[in-house]
Amino acid sequence: MQIQDLPYADPGVPDARSGPRFLWWLFRNQLGGQFKSLAWGLLHFLSVSALPFCVGVAVQAVVDHSGRRLALAGGLLALCCVGNAVGDTFLHRTAVTNWITAAARVQQLLARKAANLGSALTRRVAAGEVVAVSTGDVEKIGWFVEAWSRFTAAAVTIVVVCVGLVVYQPALGVVVAVGLPVLALSVLPLLPRATRRADFQREKAGRATELASDTVAGLRVLRGIGGEELFLDRYRRASQEVRHAAVRSARMWSLIAAIQVLLPGLLLIAVVWYGVHLARQGRVEIGELVAVYSSVMILTYPLRHFEEIAMAYSFSRPSATRAARVLSLERATPADGVATAKAPGDTPSGDLYDPATGLLAPSGRLTAVVCGDPDAAGLLAERLGGHPSQEGVSVLLGGVTLDELPLDSARTAVLVQDKDPVLLSGSLRELLDVPASGDVGAVEALSAAQCADVLAALVQGSLDAEDPMDARITERGRSLSGGQRQRLALARSLFTDPEVLVLDEPTSAVDSHTEARIADGVRELRSGRTTVVFTSSPLLLDRADRVVLVHDGEVAAVGVHRELVHKEPRYRAVVTRETDDEAALNDARHTNHVRHEKDGVPHEQDVLHALEEIEESA
């Protein structure tokens, strides 16, 4: 896999049972790149490690006044330098490729999981943790996957050099062969503590990222209530905790790095002292002593990769664990549903029915749902779209279990627009570049959503855009008002033209005149299509074919708006925003009216009305 081939056509099915298993799965899926990196790494490290032998041969050739061996040493030096340059260049190239492709694979897996779970993802995992996994954690996972092949090449090189030293000069080679494994394993007792400190640092960093994400998302609300400084102080404290944890982690890694410098120095001193002693006895030639000394110096370079792989694993393991936790999440399936799913590509049609609440949205009709609890309304809207955050009874579309449908069929059949739809940066044309039926044009959708003033604002803000479709939308539509963002999102949903469209408070930030025109536009454009609107706006409710009141998780009343507002106190309390005292007074009046009608006694209001008519006639 090369960088230019990204993204993956299929990133695969990850082993998300644990962090280490996920890392091993990533490694196995990049064996080709790993073997390339290993081969170039061996060429690089062996070329570097062969330089001391060439220098030793050259020094001994000068001592022995041998021109032929000196020329041979020069040729070997040149060959090693070429191998070093080529190996280093392509090792870096393959290592970076492994890093980027591994990170890209993880990002694609996370994106696929987010698309699969929908809004249920942030109900199971904090939004800040998702951000941390898809940014910093991805880089650390890629680092470990990439560093493994370089570490393997370094370890093989050390073994080869130790064997070569034992053969070349047994007396000094044995000292080096015994000392190098001690150097490589000397930091093992410190790794558990370093790993715990790294985990603690990552945990603090994840909490800080989550706090920052939540603060930015609610910044406008925080400014409105004067809570901006409060949350800023919380983030400052969280940031300082991250800094303290990072300092403690860095101290441990600094100690490990110091040991990696100190012990090779001590080994070098021991080799030089023993080598001089052997040279005085005539058991070692000057060239051999120089070669062994230089080899010990050079081997400190591949030894550093033992420290790097330990650091990479300690940082990537918690990152991989978090990624595996997200990737292991699955769509909630019905607890007692029947396997009635159709084949992939088949899109069911018909009535939309939720057995849990008894909510029925007839096919081809505009159904409005009134729910006193906004959170419960959001959960119900998600369940109607096949995005349940909890296991339970599945919603049925035309008698087909929606949760058991193939994902592409479910998304084609039902589209849910939540309370806070996201507008990505780009042009208006790119905003409407979504899968659609083709039966609804962009102009029709924008007109139905009453976006004329939005288009004018976008054109005015884009100096080089003559066509409104080329006007630029800033990130999350921050240059637009809340009502303008809502209408653009509504136009996008109408343009998609799904079999069933579920809208959760689509006009909550729109003025009443615009809301009335939107209600007429949606009703006309969605004629013959199933539409479910969660709202408490009388303007939308009055234009619905069917109004359903959901109270305490069950359907409490069904009818039309004008009928329910007079006969159902709970419905009236939600729609008219009655206080408890007003609701009690209206209930008393309704009870009194019913009692008088039952007893045949005129109601007080009827009497007053009759008196008014008598006065007017007089």
Side-chain angles (χ1 to χ4, degrees):
M1 186 69 182
Q2 299 298 320
I3 295 177
Q4 62 265 25
D5 298 328
L6 293 174
Y8 289 94
D10 180 13
V13 179
D15 185 351
R17 289 176 291 177
S18 66
R21 289 178 181 271
F22 180 57
L23 290 174
W24 174 241
W25 178 83
L26 284 174
F27 178 82
R28 287 189 292 107
N29 278 269
Q30 291 193 214
L31 286 179
Q34 296 292 341
F35 282 126
K36 288 181 181 179
S37 183
L38 175 61
W40 292 117
L42 286 173
L43 176 61
H44 169 58
F45 288 124
L46 290 176
S47 297
V48 171
S49 302
L51 290 174
F53 293 95
C54 298
V55 172
V57 172
V59 171
Q60 192 61 40
V62 172
V63 173
D64 296 339
H65 302 285
S66 176
R68 185 178 61 83
R69 282 190 292 164
L70 183 60
L72 177 62
L76 292 175
L77 278 172
L79 184 62
C80 289
C81 289
V82 172
N84 180 22
V86 174
D88 190 23
T89 300
F90 285 94
L91 171 62
H92 179 74
R93 181 184 181 89
T94 54
V96 171
T97 300
N98 288 337
W99 191 336
I100 293 177
T101 52
R105 187 188 294 273
V106 178
Q107 286 181 326
Q108 280 189 247
L109 290 170
L110 291 171
R112 186 174 67 181
K113 181 60 64 174
N116 189 352
L117 294 176
S119 57
L121 175 61
T122 52
R123 292 186 179 274
R124 303 188 193 182
V125 182
E129 184 171 350
V130 176
V131 172
V133 170
S134 58
T135 53
D137 285 341
V138 166
E139 294 184 4
K140 290 178 174 58
I141 293 171
W143 176 27
F144 175 75
V145 173
E146 171 270 324
W148 183 257
S149 57
R150 289 189 292 113
F151 161 72
T152 305
V156 172
T157 300
I158 290 175
V159 172
V160 171
V161 171
C162 288
V163 173
L165 286 175
V166 172
V167 174
Y168 179 68
Q169 176 43 251
L172 290 176
V174 171
V175 176
V176 177
V178 172
L180 284 177
V182 174
L183 296 182
L185 302 176
S186 60
V187 297
L188 287 181
L190 299 177
L191 287 181
R193 181 177 298 180
T195 302
R196 287 195 298 270
R197 292 190 179 185
D199 291 350
F200 183 73
Q201 176 195 351
R202 293 301 303 161
E203 180 183 352
K204 290 293 184 181
R207 291 179 181 176
T209 303
E210 179 181 347
L211 180 60
S213 176
D214 294 342
T215 302
V216 171
L219 188 58
R220 179 173 296 184
V221 177
L222 292 176
R223 286 176 176 172
I225 62 176
E228 185 178 357
E229 288 298 325
L230 174 62
F231 275 79
L232 186 59
D233 289 340
R234 290 182 180 177
Y235 180 74
R236 285 196 186 102
R237 290 195 296 270
S239 179
Q240 289 302 311
E241 290 178 359
V242 175
R243 184 178 68 84
H244 291 311
V247 169
R248 293 184 70 248
S249 179
R251 286 173 181 169
M252 184 56 63
W253 289 112
S254 298
L255 177 60
I256 293 175
I259 292 175
Q260 291 288 301
V261 173
L262 174 62
L263 294 184
L266 295 177
L267 177 62
L268 187 61
I269 293 173
V271 169
V272 171
W273 178 83
Y274 187 55
V276 171
H277 176 70
L278 294 177
R280 285 179 177 177
Q281 296 178 354
R283 297 168 57 187
V284 174
E285 295 181 349
I286 298 299
E288 294 175 337
L289 178 59
V290 171
V292 175
Y293 169 80
S294 302
S295 296
V296 176
M297 288 286 293
I298 291 295
L299 286 177
T300 58
Y301 170 53
L303 273 175
R304 285 301 182 94
H305 288 76
F306 285 77
E307 175 191 347
E308 182 189 7
I309 196 65
M311 183 181 293
Y313 180 73
S314 66
F315 278 94
S316 65
R317 187 180 58 80
S319 297
T321 301
R322 278 190 291 270
R325 183 165 60 247
V326 174
L327 294 175
S328 64
L329 299 176
E330 297 293 342
R331 294 176 69 198
T333 55
D336 55 356
V338 181
T340 57
K342 296 186 177 182
D346 292 341
T347 302
S349 60
D351 297 343
L352 185 68
Y353 177 66
D354 177 27
T357 59
L359 172 63
L360 173 66
S363 175
R365 307 286 293 279
L366 174 59
T367 302
V369 180
V370 176
C371 189
D373 184 359
D375 293 334
L379 291 174
L380 179 55
E382 291 174 2
R383 192 162 68 248
L384 291 179
H387 311 292
S389 56
Q390 300 175 353
E391 293 187 0
V393 181
S394 174
V395 172
L396 303 178
L397 178 59
V400 178
T401 303
L402 189 62
D403 292 345
E404 292 186 351
L405 280 175
L407 187 59
D408 56 346
S409 299
R411 293 290 169 84
T412 302
V414 184
L415 173 67
V416 179
Q417 178 180 308
D418 59 18
K419 292 185 180 67
D420 187 22
V422 176
L423 301 181
L424 301 179
S425 60
S427 66
L428 182 57
R429 193 183 310 276
E430 292 170 339
L431 178 70
L432 298 178
D433 185 15
V434 294
S437 67
D439 296 335
V440 177
V443 176
E444 297 175 273
L446 291 168
S447 176
Q450 301 299 312
C451 293
D453 62 317
V454 184
L455 299 180
L458 289 175
V459 172
Q460 185 177 4
S462 302
L463 300 178
D464 57 344
E466 298 181 358
D467 187 349
M469 297 298 291
D470 295 326
R472 303 294 298 178
I473 301 174
T474 58
E475 182 184 0
R476 299 184 68 89
R478 298 188 188 279
S479 61
L480 303 174
S481 66
Q484 290 174 329
R485 288 196 297 272
Q486 268 192 343
R487 282 178 281 165
L488 278 182
L490 177 60
R492 179 177 58 188
S493 300
L494 294 174
F495 175 74
T496 303
D497 190 34
E499 182 70 25
V500 179
L501 177 60
V502 180
L503 303 172
D504 190 2
E505 295 290 353
T507 59
S508 59
V510 178
D511 64 84
S512 57
H513 297 287
T514 305
E515 187 177 29
R517 294 195 295 270
I518 290 175
D520 292 332
V522 171
R523 181 180 176 84
E524 180 180 354
L525 191 64
R526 292 288 299 173
S527 177
R529 292 285 202 179
T530 307
T531 307
V532 181
V533 182
F534 286 82
T535 183
S536 59
S537 168
L539 293 172
L540 289 174
L541 295 170
D542 192 42
R543 287 162 175 80
D545 299 317
R546 173 186 175 93
V547 179
V548 179
L549 172 65
V550 177
H551 183 72
D552 289 339
E554 295 181 353
V555 172
V558 179
V560 294
H561 168 64
R562 303 195 179 202
E563 174 187 347
L564 292 176
V565 80
H566 288 93
K567 295 185 176 180
E568 179 55 56
R570 291 172 296 185
Y571 177 84
R572 183 174 59 249
V574 175
V575 173
T576 63
R577 276 80 168 178
E578 286 182 341
T579 64
D580 293 340
D581 293 339
E582 291 172 339
L585 179 60
N586 287 327
D587 289 344
R589 289 176 177 175
H590 179 73
T591 303
N592 187 45
H593 175 69
V594 173
R595 180 174 57 80
H596 280 77
E597 286 184 345
K598 182 177 180 181
D599 296 339
V601 180
H603 186 262
E604 179 184 357
Q605 296 295 332
D606 297 334
V607 175
L608 292 177
H609 183 66
L611 291 175
E612 289 176 356
E613 289 182 348
I614 293 173
E615 290 179 357
E616 289 178 358
S617 62

